[in-house]
Coordinates of all heavy atoms in Angstrom, one line a residue:
M748 N 135.8 33.2 104.5 CA 136.0 34.5 103.9 C 134.8 34.8 103.0 O 134.4 36.0 103.0 CB 137.3 34.4 103.1 CG 137.7 35.7 102.4 SD 138.0 37.1 103.5 CE 139.7 37.0 103.6
R749 N 134.3 33.9 102.3 CA 133.2 34.1 101.4 C 132.0 34.6 102.2 O 131.2 35.4 101.8 CB 132.9 32.9 100.5 CG 131.9 33.1 99.5 CD 131.8 31.9 98.6 NE 130.8 32.2 97.7 CZ 130.9 32.1 96.4 NH1 132.0 31.9 95.8 NH2 129.9 32.4 95.6
N750 N 131.7 33.9 103.3 CA 130.6 34.3 104.2 C 130.7 35.7 104.7 O 129.8 36.4 104.9 CB 130.4 33.3 105.3 CG 129.8 32.0 104.8 OD1 129.2 31.9 103.8 ND2 130.0 30.9 105.6
G751 N 131.9 36.1 105.0 CA 132.2 37.4 105.6 C 131.8 38.5 104.5 O 131.3 39.5 104.9
K752 N 132.1 38.2 103.3 CA 131.8 39.2 102.2 C 130.2 39.3 102.0 O 129.7 40.3 101.8 CB 132.4 38.8 100.9 CG 133.9 39.1 100.8 CD 134.5 38.7 99.5 CE 135.9 39.0 99.5 NZ 136.5 38.6 98.2
A753 N 129.6 38.1 102.2 CA 128.1 38.1 102.0 C 127.5 38.8 103.2 O 126.5 39.6 103.0 CB 127.7 36.6 102.0
V754 N 128.0 38.7 104.4 CA 127.4 39.4 105.5 C 127.7 40.9 105.4 O 126.8 41.7 105.6 CB 128.1 38.9 106.8 CG1 127.7 39.7 108.0 CG2 127.7 37.4 107.1
A755 N 128.9 41.3 104.9 CA 129.2 42.7 104.7 C 128.3 43.3 103.7 O 127.8 44.4 103.8 CB 130.6 42.9 104.4
F756 N 128.1 42.6 102.6 CA 127.2 43.0 101.5 C 125.8 43.2 102.0 O 125.1 44.1 101.6 CB 127.3 42.1 100.3 CG 126.5 42.5 99.1 CD1 127.0 43.6 98.4 CD2 125.4 41.9 98.7 CE1 126.3 44.1 97.3 CE2 124.7 42.4 97.6 CZ 125.1 43.4 96.9
A757 N 125.3 42.2 102.8 CA 123.9 42.3 103.4 C 123.7 43.6 104.2 O 122.7 44.2 104.2 CB 123.6 41.1 104.2
F758 N 124.8 44.0 104.9 CA 124.7 45.3 105.7 C 124.8 46.5 104.8 O 124.2 47.6 105.2 CB 125.8 45.3 106.7 CG 125.6 44.4 107.9 CD1 126.3 43.3 108.2 CD2 124.5 44.7 108.8 CE1 126.1 42.5 109.3 CE2 124.3 43.9 109.9 CZ 125.1 42.8 110.1
L759 N 125.4 46.4 103.7 CA 125.5 47.6 102.8 C 124.3 47.8 102.0 O 124.0 49.0 101.6 CB 126.7 47.4 101.8 CG 128.1 47.5 102.4 CD1 129.1 47.2 101.4 CD2 128.3 48.9 103.0
I760 N 123.5 46.8 101.7 CA 122.3 47.0 100.9 C 121.3 48.1 101.4 O 120.9 49.0 100.7 CB 121.6 45.7 100.6 CG1 122.4 44.8 99.7 CG2 120.2 45.9 100.0 CD1 121.9 43.4 99.5
P761 N 121.0 48.1 102.7 CA 120.1 49.2 103.2 C 120.7 50.6 103.1 O 120.0 51.5 102.8 CB 119.9 48.8 104.7 CG 120.2 47.4 104.8 CD 121.2 47.1 103.7
L762 N 122.0 50.6 103.2 CA 122.7 51.9 103.1 C 122.6 52.5 101.6 O 122.5 53.7 101.4 CB 124.2 51.8 103.5 CG 124.4 51.5 105.0 CD1 125.8 51.3 105.3 CD2 123.8 52.5 105.9
L763 N 122.7 51.6 100.7 CA 122.7 52.0 99.3 C 121.3 52.5 98.9 O 121.2 53.3 98.0 CB 123.1 50.8 98.4 CG 124.5 50.4 98.5 CD1 124.8 49.2 97.6 CD2 125.5 51.5 98.1
G764 N 120.3 52.1 99.6 CA 118.9 52.6 99.3 C 118.8 54.1 99.6 O 118.0 54.8 98.9
G765 N 119.6 54.6 100.4 CA 119.6 56.1 100.7 C 120.2 56.9 99.6 O 120.0 58.1 99.5
C766 N 120.9 56.3 98.7 CA 121.4 57.0 97.5 C 120.5 57.1 96.4 O 120.8 57.8 95.4 CB 122.7 56.3 97.1 SG 124.0 56.3 98.3
A767 N 119.3 56.5 96.5 CA 118.4 56.5 95.4 C 117.9 57.9 95.2 O 117.7 58.7 96.1 CB 117.2 55.6 95.7
A768 N 117.7 58.3 93.9 CA 117.3 59.7 93.6 C 115.8 59.8 94.0 O 115.0 59.0 93.6 CB 117.5 59.9 92.1
R769 N 115.5 60.9 94.7 CA 114.1 61.2 95.1 C 113.8 62.6 94.5 O 114.7 63.4 94.5 CB 114.0 61.2 96.6 CG 114.1 59.8 97.2 CD 113.9 59.8 98.7 NE 114.2 58.5 99.2 CZ 114.7 58.3 100.4 NH1 115.0 59.4 101.2 NH2 115.0 57.1 100.8
P770 N 112.6 62.8 94.2 CA 112.3 64.2 93.7 C 112.5 65.2 94.9 O 112.1 64.9 96.0 CB 110.9 64.1 93.2 CG 110.3 62.8 93.7 CD 111.5 61.9 94.1
A771 N 113.0 66.3 94.6 CA 113.2 67.3 95.6 C 111.9 68.0 95.9 O 111.1 68.2 95.1 CB 114.2 68.4 95.1
T772 N 111.7 68.2 97.2 CA 110.5 68.9 97.7 C 110.9 70.3 98.0 O 111.7 70.6 98.8 CB 110.0 68.2 98.9 OG1 109.7 66.8 98.6 CG2 108.7 68.9 99.4
V773 N 110.3 71.2 97.2 CA 110.5 72.6 97.4 C 109.3 73.2 98.1 O 108.2 73.2 97.6 CB 110.8 73.3 96.1 CG1 111.0 74.8 96.3 CG2 112.0 72.7 95.4
V774 N 109.6 73.8 99.3 CA 108.5 74.5 100.0 C 108.6 76.0 99.7 O 109.6 76.6 100.1 CB 108.6 74.2 101.5 CG1 107.5 74.9 102.2 CG2 108.5 72.7 101.7
R775 N 107.7 76.5 99.1 CA 107.7 78.0 98.8 C 106.7 78.7 99.6 O 105.5 78.3 99.7 CB 107.4 78.2 97.3 CG 108.5 77.6 96.4 CD 108.3 77.8 95.0 NE 108.4 79.2 94.7 CZ 107.8 79.8 93.7 NH1 107.2 79.1 92.8 NH2 107.9 81.1 93.5
T776 N 107.0 79.8 100.1 CA 106.1 80.7 100.8 C 105.2 81.3 99.8 O 105.7 81.9 98.8 CB 106.8 81.8 101.6 OG1 107.8 81.1 102.5 CG2 105.9 82.6 102.4
P777 N 103.9 81.3 100.0 CA 103.0 81.9 99.0 C 103.3 83.4 98.8 O 103.7 84.1 99.8 CB 101.6 81.7 99.6 CG 101.8 80.5 100.5 CD 103.2 80.6 101.0
L778 N 103.1 83.9 97.6 CA 103.4 85.2 97.3 C 102.7 86.2 98.2 O 103.2 87.2 98.7 CB 103.1 85.5 95.8 CG 103.4 86.9 95.3 CD1 104.9 87.2 95.5 CD2 103.0 87.0 93.9
A779 N 101.4 85.9 98.5 CA 100.6 86.8 99.3 C 101.2 86.9 100.7 O 101.0 88.0 101.4 CB 99.2 86.3 99.4
E780 N 101.9 85.9 101.2 CA 102.5 86.0 102.5 C 103.8 86.7 102.6 O 104.3 87.1 103.6 CB 102.7 84.6 103.1 CG 101.4 83.8 103.4 CD 101.6 82.5 104.0 OE1 102.7 82.2 104.5 OE2 100.7 81.6 103.9
R781 N 104.4 86.9 101.4 CA 105.7 87.6 101.3 C 105.5 89.1 101.1 O 106.5 89.8 101.1 CB 106.6 87.0 100.2 CG 107.1 85.6 100.6 CD 108.1 85.0 99.7 NE 107.6 84.8 98.4 CZ 108.1 85.3 97.3 NH1 109.2 86.0 97.3 NH2 107.6 85.0 96.1
I782 N 104.3 89.5 100.8 CA 104.0 91.0 100.6 C 103.6 91.5 102.0 O 102.6 91.2 102.5 CB 103.0 91.2 99.6 CG1 103.5 90.7 98.2 CG2 102.6 92.7 99.5 CD1 102.4 90.8 97.1
P783 N 104.4 92.4 102.6 CA 104.1 92.9 103.9 C 102.8 93.7 103.9 O 102.5 94.4 102.9 CB 105.3 93.8 104.2 CG 106.3 93.5 103.2 CD 105.7 92.9 102.1
P784 N 102.0 93.6 104.9 CA 100.8 94.4 105.0 C 101.0 95.9 104.8 O 100.1 96.6 104.3 CB 100.2 94.1 106.3 CG 100.8 92.8 106.7 CD 102.1 92.8 106.1
S785 N 102.2 96.4 105.2 CA 102.4 97.8 105.1 C 102.5 98.3 103.6 O 102.4 99.5 103.4 CB 103.8 98.2 105.8 OG 104.8 97.5 105.1
L786 N 102.7 97.4 102.7 CA 102.7 97.7 101.3 C 101.3 97.7 100.6 O 101.2 98.0 99.5 CB 103.6 96.8 100.5 CG 105.1 96.9 100.9 CD1 105.9 95.9 100.0 CD2 105.6 98.3 100.7
T787 N 100.3 97.3 101.4 CA 99.0 97.1 100.8 C 98.1 98.3 101.0 O 96.9 98.3 100.6 CB 98.3 95.8 101.2 OG1 98.2 95.9 102.7 CG2 99.1 94.6 100.9
T788 N 98.5 99.3 101.7 CA 97.7 100.5 101.9 C 98.6 101.7 101.6 O 99.7 101.8 101.9 CB 97.2 100.6 103.4 OG1 98.3 100.6 104.3 CG2 96.2 99.5 103.7
C789 N 97.9 102.7 101.0 CA 98.6 104.0 100.7 C 98.3 105.1 101.7 O 97.3 105.0 102.4 CB 98.2 104.4 99.3 SG 98.8 103.3 98.0
A790 N 99.1 106.1 101.7 CA 98.8 107.2 102.5 C 97.5 107.8 102.1 O 97.1 107.8 100.9 CB 99.9 108.3 102.4
T791 N 96.7 108.4 103.0 CA 95.4 108.9 102.7 C 95.6 110.2 101.9 O 96.6 110.9 102.0 CB 94.6 109.3 103.9 OG1 95.3 110.2 104.7 CG2 94.3 108.0 104.7
R792 N 94.6 110.5 101.0 CA 94.6 111.7 100.2 C 94.4 112.8 101.1 O 93.5 112.8 102.0 CB 93.5 111.6 99.2 CG 93.5 112.7 98.2 CD 92.4 112.5 97.2 NE 92.4 113.5 96.1 CZ 91.6 114.6 96.2 NH1 90.8 114.8 97.1 NH2 91.7 115.5 95.2
P793 N 95.2 113.9 101.0 CA 95.0 115.0 101.9 C 93.7 115.8 101.6 O 93.2 115.8 100.5 CB 96.2 115.9 101.7 CG 96.6 115.6 100.3 CD 96.3 114.1 100.1
D794 N 93.1 116.4 102.7 CA 91.9 117.2 102.5 C 92.3 118.5 101.9 O 93.2 119.2 102.3 CB 91.3 117.4 103.9 CG 90.0 118.2 103.8 OD1 89.3 118.2 102.8 OD2 89.8 118.9 104.8
P795 N 91.6 118.9 100.8 CA 92.0 120.1 100.1 C 91.8 121.4 101.0 O 92.5 122.4 100.9 CB 91.2 120.2 98.9 CG 90.1 119.2 99.0 CD 90.6 118.2 100.1
G796 N 90.9 121.3 101.9 CA 90.7 122.4 102.8 C 90.3 123.7 102.1 O 89.9 123.6 100.9
A797 N 90.4 124.8 102.7 CA 90.1 126.1 102.1 C 91.2 126.5 101.1 O 92.4 126.4 101.5 CB 89.9 127.2 103.1
A798 N 90.8 126.9 99.9 CA 91.8 127.3 99.0 C 91.7 128.8 98.8 O 91.6 129.3 97.7 CB 91.6 126.6 97.7
D799 N 91.8 129.5 99.9 CA 91.7 131.0 99.9 C 92.9 131.7 99.3 O 92.8 132.7 98.7 CB 91.4 131.5 101.3 CG 90.1 131.0 101.9 OD1 89.2 130.7 101.1 OD2 90.0 130.9 103.1
R800 N 94.1 131.1 99.5 CA 95.3 131.7 99.0 C 96.1 130.7 98.2 O 95.9 129.5 98.3 CB 96.2 132.1 100.2 CG 95.5 133.2 101.1 CD 96.3 133.5 102.3 NE 96.3 132.3 103.2 CZ 97.1 132.1 104.2 NH1 97.9 133.1 104.6 NH2 97.1 131.0 104.9
Q801 N 97.0 131.2 97.4 CA 97.8 130.4 96.6 C 98.7 129.5 97.5 O 98.9 128.3 97.1 CB 98.8 131.2 95.7 CG 98.1 131.9 94.5 CD 97.8 130.8 93.5 OE1 96.7 130.2 93.6 NE2 98.6 130.7 92.5
S802 N 99.1 129.9 98.6 CA 99.9 129.1 99.5 C 99.1 127.9 100.0 O 99.7 126.8 100.2 CB 100.4 129.9 100.7 OG 99.4 130.4 101.5
D803 N 97.8 128.0 100.2 CA 96.9 126.9 100.6 C 96.9 125.8 99.4 O 97.0 124.6 99.7 CB 95.5 127.4 100.8 CG 95.4 128.3 102.0 OD1 96.2 128.3 102.9 OD2 94.4 129.1 102.0
V804 N 96.8 126.3 98.2 CA 96.8 125.4 97.1 C 98.1 124.7 96.9 O 98.2 123.5 96.7 CB 96.4 126.2 95.8 CG1 96.5 125.2 94.6 CG2 95.0 126.7 95.9
A805 N 99.2 125.5 97.1 CA 100.5 124.9 97.0 C 100.8 123.9 98.0 O 101.3 122.8 97.8 CB 101.6 126.0 97.1
A806 N 100.4 124.1 99.3 CA 100.5 123.2 100.3 C 99.8 121.9 100.0 O 100.2 120.8 100.3 CB 100.1 123.7 101.7
F807 N 98.5 122.0 99.5 CA 97.7 120.9 99.1 C 98.4 120.1 98.1 O 98.5 118.8 98.1 CB 96.3 121.3 98.7 CG 95.5 120.2 98.1 CD1 95.0 119.2 98.9 CD2 95.3 120.1 96.7 CE1 94.3 118.1 98.3 CE2 94.6 119.1 96.2 CZ 94.1 118.1 97.0
V808 N 99.0 120.7 97.0 CA 99.6 120.0 96.0 C 100.8 119.3 96.5 O 101.1 118.1 96.1 CB 100.0 121.0 94.8 CG1 100.9 120.3 93.8 CG2 98.8 121.6 94.1
V809 N 101.6 119.8 97.4 CA 102.8 119.2 98.0 C 102.3 117.9 98.7 O 102.9 116.8 98.6 CB 103.6 120.1 98.8 CG1 104.6 119.4 99.6 CG2 104.2 121.2 98.0
E810 N 101.3 118.1 99.6 CA 100.8 116.9 100.3 C 100.2 115.8 99.4 O 100.4 114.6 99.7 CB 99.7 117.4 101.3 CG 100.3 118.2 102.5 CD 99.2 118.8 103.4 OE1 98.0 118.3 103.3 OE2 99.5 119.7 104.1
L811 N 99.5 116.3 98.4 CA 98.9 115.3 97.4 C 100.0 114.5 96.7 O 100.0 113.3 96.5 CB 98.1 116.1 96.4 CG 97.3 115.2 95.4 CD1 96.3 114.3 96.2 CD2 96.6 116.1 94.4
D812 N 101.1 115.2 96.3 CA 102.2 114.6 95.7 C 102.9 113.6 96.6 O 103.3 112.5 96.2 CB 103.2 115.6 95.2 CG 104.4 114.9 94.4 OD1 104.1 114.3 93.4 OD2 105.5 115.0 94.9
A813 N 103.0 114.0 97.9 CA 103.7 113.1 98.9 C 102.8 111.8 99.0 O 103.4 110.7 99.1 CB 103.8 113.8 100.2
A814 N 101.5 111.9 99.1 CA 100.6 110.8 99.2 C 100.8 109.9 98.0 O 100.8 108.6 98.1 CB 99.2 111.2 99.4
G815 N 100.8 110.5 96.8 CA 101.0 109.7 95.5 C 102.3 109.0 95.5 O 102.4 107.9 95.1
E816 N 103.4 109.7 96.0 CA 104.7 109.1 96.0 C 104.7 107.9 96.9 O 105.4 106.9 96.6 CB 105.8 110.1 96.3 CG 107.2 109.6 96.2 CD 107.5 109.2 94.8 OE1 107.0 109.7 93.8 OE2 108.3 108.2 94.7
D817 N 104.0 108.0 98.0 CA 104.0 106.9 99.0 C 103.4 105.7 98.3 O 103.9 104.6 98.4 CB 103.1 107.3 100.2 CG 102.8 106.1 101.1 OD1 103.7 105.7 101.8 OD2 101.6 105.7 101.1
C818 N 102.3 105.9 97.6 CA 101.6 104.8 96.9 C 102.5 104.2 95.7 O 102.6 103.0 95.6 CB 100.2 105.2 96.4 SG 99.0 103.9 96.4
R819 N 103.1 105.1 95.0 CA 103.9 104.6 93.9 C 105.1 103.8 94.4 O 105.5 102.8 93.8 CB 104.4 105.8 93.0 CG 103.4 106.4 92.1 CD 104.0 107.5 91.3 NE 104.4 108.7 92.0 CZ 103.6 109.7 92.4 NH1 102.4 109.7 92.1 NH2 104.1 110.7 93.1
G820 N 105.7 104.2 95.5 CA 106.8 103.5 96.1 C 106.4 102.1 96.5 O 107.1 101.1 96.3
K821 N 105.2 102.0 97.1 CA 104.7 100.7 97.6 C 104.3 99.8 96.4 O 104.6 98.6 96.4 CB 103.5 100.9 98.5 CG 103.9 101.5 99.8 CD 102.7 101.8 100.7 CE 103.2 102.4 102.0 NZ 102.1 102.7 102.9
V822 N 103.7 100.3 95.4 CA 103.4 99.5 94.2 C 104.7 99.0 93.5 O 104.8 97.9 93.1 CB 102.6 100.3 93.2 CG1 102.5 99.6 91.8 CG2 101.2 100.6 93.8
D823 N 105.7 99.9 93.5 CA 107.0 99.4 92.9 C 107.6 98.3 93.8 O 108.2 97.4 93.2 CB 108.0 100.6 92.9 CG 107.7 101.6 91.8 OD1 106.9 101.2 90.9 OD2 108.2 102.7 91.8
A824 N 107.5 98.4 95.1 CA 108.0 97.3 96.0 C 107.3 96.0 95.7 O 107.9 94.9 95.6 CB 107.9 97.7 97.4
I825 N 106.0 96.1 95.5 CA 105.2 94.9 95.2 C 105.6 94.3 93.9 O 105.7 93.1 93.7 CB 103.7 95.2 95.3 CG1 103.3 95.5 96.7 CG2 102.9 94.0 94.7 CD1 101.9 96.0 96.9
R826 N 105.8 95.2 92.9 CA 106.3 94.7 91.6 C 107.6 94.0 91.7 O 107.8 93.0 91.0 CB 106.5 95.9 90.6 CG 105.2 96.4 90.1 CD 105.5 97.5 89.0 NE 104.2 98.1 88.5 CZ 104.0 99.4 88.5 NH1 104.9 100.2 88.9 NH2 102.8 99.8 88.1
R827 N 108.5 94.5 92.5 CA 109.8 93.8 92.7 C 109.6 92.4 93.3 O 110.3 91.4 92.9 CB 110.8 94.6 93.6 CG 111.4 95.8 92.8 CD 112.5 96.5 93.6 NE 112.1 97.0 94.9 CZ 111.5 98.3 95.0 NH1 111.4 99.1 94.0 NH2 111.2 98.7 96.2
I828 N 108.7 92.3 94.3 CA 108.5 91.0 94.9 C 107.9 90.1 93.9 O 108.3 88.9 93.9 CB 107.5 91.2 96.2 CG1 108.3 92.0 97.3 CG2 107.1 89.9 96.7 CD1 107.4 92.4 98.4
V829 N 106.9 90.5 93.1 CA 106.3 89.7 92.1 C 107.3 89.2 91.1 O 107.4 88.1 90.6 CB 105.1 90.4 91.5 CG1 104.6 89.6 90.2 CG2 104.0 90.6 92.5
A830 N 108.2 90.2 90.6 CA 109.2 89.8 89.7 C 110.2 88.8 90.2 O 110.6 87.8 89.5 CB 110.0 91.1 89.2
E831 N 110.5 88.9 91.5 CA 111.4 88.0 92.2 C 110.7 86.6 92.2 O 111.4 85.6 92.0 CB 111.7 88.4 93.6 CG 112.6 87.5 94.4 CD 112.8 88.0 95.8 OE1 113.2 89.1 96.0 OE2 112.5 87.2 96.7
D832 N 109.5 86.6 92.5 CA 108.7 85.3 92.5 C 108.7 84.7 91.2 O 108.8 83.5 91.0 CB 107.3 85.6 93.1 CG 106.5 84.3 93.3 OD1 106.9 83.6 94.2 OD2 105.6 84.0 92.5
A833 N 108.5 85.5 90.1 CA 108.5 84.9 88.8 C 109.8 84.3 88.4 O 109.9 83.3 87.7 CB 108.1 86.0 87.8
G834 N 110.9 84.9 88.9 CA 112.2 84.4 88.6 C 112.5 83.1 89.3 O 113.2 82.2 88.9
R835 N 111.9 82.9 90.5 CA 112.0 81.6 91.2 C 111.2 80.5 90.6 O 111.6 79.3 90.7 CB 111.4 81.8 92.7 CG 112.3 82.6 93.5 CD 111.7 82.6 94.9 NE 112.5 83.5 95.8 CZ 112.2 83.7 97.1 NH1 111.1 83.0 97.6 NH2 112.9 84.4 97.8
A836 N 110.1 80.8 89.9 CA 109.3 79.8 89.3 C 109.9 79.2 88.1 O 109.5 78.1 87.7 CB 107.9 80.4 88.9
E837 N 110.9 79.9 87.5 CA 111.5 79.3 86.3 C 112.5 78.2 86.5 O 113.0 78.0 87.5 CB 112.2 80.5 85.5 CG 111.1 81.5 85.0 CD 111.8 82.7 84.4 OE1 113.1 82.7 84.3 OE2 111.1 83.6 84.0

């Protein structure tokens, strides 16, 4: 009976080694790879063209604002990604 316990214990020793604490390996995607290329370029600035009439100027201002809003939205999205990354690092 005693030999049976010794044999059983000999088989258990390798299994117990798997319970040893090992440092966790965390694989993180680099921040630069998580920012989509579509967020790294803004809409082009519109050509002011001829400003012969007030409606020409108004159209330019509307297009200019749309291009600016495109860029502001993309910068905000990048800020959210960076903030999320900072939260993961803690």
